[in-house]
């Protein structure tokens, strides 16, 4: 009886070992690496802007709009989920408005334009691994330009005048940035810029405000 029980136990143990040896081995689990936003980056942007030229104390304004493009460079530091950074950008474009009036045989046209602007800003954001939500703010500058043309076609006479000024002011905005590849990111950003008052033609004070929405592509130097 004892020999029979021992033989049965031995057979069961042998079968269990053989079955365990034939079972497929589960591959070890590797967690994907956590993305880090720390580092230097540079890139390009393109977008749309709108704004206004206005004379302080006078109702009405010259409403401008148009496309823009340019580049940016910056650096990020990440600690936990918080990301701090600095960035500077420069844009060129044709954010402008043209007004034409003809009366009494006299034609008049005025073109108001912001043809380039830039900023130096700080950034603070919250990282969700490969996505970053951020606010940005700092100092900005822009060049405004006014072109005026007056003509009296019946007399064959006319004239033109132009004046430009460099404005400075503050900028606030925010955006969302996401990782495309280990070295490339894509961002959508909004900025509002409020500039100071500058004189055109030496005597006419003008306020300038610009809003932009831009698509940005950055290369991360790793």
């Amino acid at each position: 009886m004892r020999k029979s029980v021992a033989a049965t136990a031995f057979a069961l143990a042998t079968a269990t070992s053989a079955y365990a040896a034939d079972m497929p081995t589960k591959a070890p689990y590797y967690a994907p690496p956590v993305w880090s936003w720390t580092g230097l980056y540079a890139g390009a942007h393109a977008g749309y802007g709108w704004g206004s030229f206005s004379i302080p104390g006078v109702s009405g304004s010259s409403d401008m709009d148009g496309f823009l493009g340019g580049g940016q460079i910056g650096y990020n530091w990440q600690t936990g989920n918080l990301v701090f950074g600095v960035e500077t950008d420069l844009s060129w474009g044709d954010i402008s408005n043209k007004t034409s009036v003809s009366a009494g045989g006299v034609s008049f046209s005025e073109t108001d334009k912001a043809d380039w602007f830039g900023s130096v800003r700080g950034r603070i954001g919250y990282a969700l691994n490969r996505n970053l939500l951020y606010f940005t703010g700092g100092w900005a500058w822009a060049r405004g330009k006014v072109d005026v043309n007056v003509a009296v076609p019946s007399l064959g006479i006319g004239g033109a005048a132009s004046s430009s000024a460099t404005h400075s002011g503050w900028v606030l905005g925010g955006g969302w940035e996401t990782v495309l590849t280990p070295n490339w990111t894509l961002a959508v950003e909004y900025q509002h810029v409020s500039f100071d008052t500058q004189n055109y033609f030496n005597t006419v004070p003008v306020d300038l405000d610009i809003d932009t929405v831009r698509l940005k592509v950055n290369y991360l130097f790793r």
Side-chain angles (χ1 to χ4, degrees):
M1 185 67 173
R2 290 180 181 177
K3 291 182 179 181
S4 176
V5 172
T8 301
F10 177 78
L12 288 174
T14 303
T16 302
S17 299
Y19 176 75
D22 290 338
M23 290 182 64
T25 303
K26 186 177 180 180
Y29 173 75
Y30 295 101
V34 176
W35 178 265
S36 174
W37 290 90
T38 298
L40 177 70
Y41 64 88
H45 63 262
Y48 177 78
W50 63 98
S52 65
F53 264 55
S54 60
I55 299 176
V58 178
S59 61
S61 64
S62 175
D63 295 325
M64 311 177 298
D65 66 344
F67 293 96
L68 62 97
Q72 67 274 344
I73 186 170
Y75 195 94
N76 289 322
W77 296 268
Q78 181 170 355
T79 174
N81 291 100
L82 293 179
V83 177
F84 303 91
V86 291
E87 181 177 293
T88 182
D89 62 52
L90 187 62
S91 302
W92 294 266
D94 185 18
I95 301 177
S96 61
N97 178 57
K98 183 175 182 178
T99 303
S100 298
V101 177
S102 295
V106 179
S107 63
F108 170 85
S109 68
E110 177 182 336
T111 301
D112 303 319
K113 182 177 181 179
D115 53 10
W116 63 261
F117 48 94
S119 68
V120 176
R121 296 169 285 105
R123 300 205 312 169
I124 181 170
Y126 188 84
L128 299 170
N129 198 9
R130 293 172 178 258
N131 289 277
L132 176 66
L133 298 174
Y134 64 89
F135 294 99
T136 183
W139 178 74
W141 65 95
R143 188 180 79 158
K145 188 178 181 183
V146 177
D147 294 310
V148 176
N149 289 273
V150 180
V152 184
S154 61
L155 300 178
I157 61 174
S162 180
S163 180
S164 62
T166 301
H167 298 254
S168 63
W170 54 265
V171 53
L172 288 176
W176 164 72
E177 190 169 1
T178 188
V179 175
L180 298 178
T181 73
N183 290 97
W184 290 97
T185 68
L186 179 70
V188 178
E189 183 177 279
Y190 165 78
Q191 290 185 12
H192 171 74
V193 193
S194 181
F195 295 102
D196 61 4
T197 303
Q198 292 293 328
N199 288 333
Y200 288 75
F201 302 104
N202 296 320
T203 58
V204 181
V206 172
D207 287 338
L208 173 63
D209 291 279
I210 296 176
D211 294 88
T212 67
V213 175
R214 61 189 72 189
L215 187 67
K216 304 168 64 174
V217 177
N218 287 319
Y219 181 83
L220 308 181
F221 296 93
R222 296 187 178 278

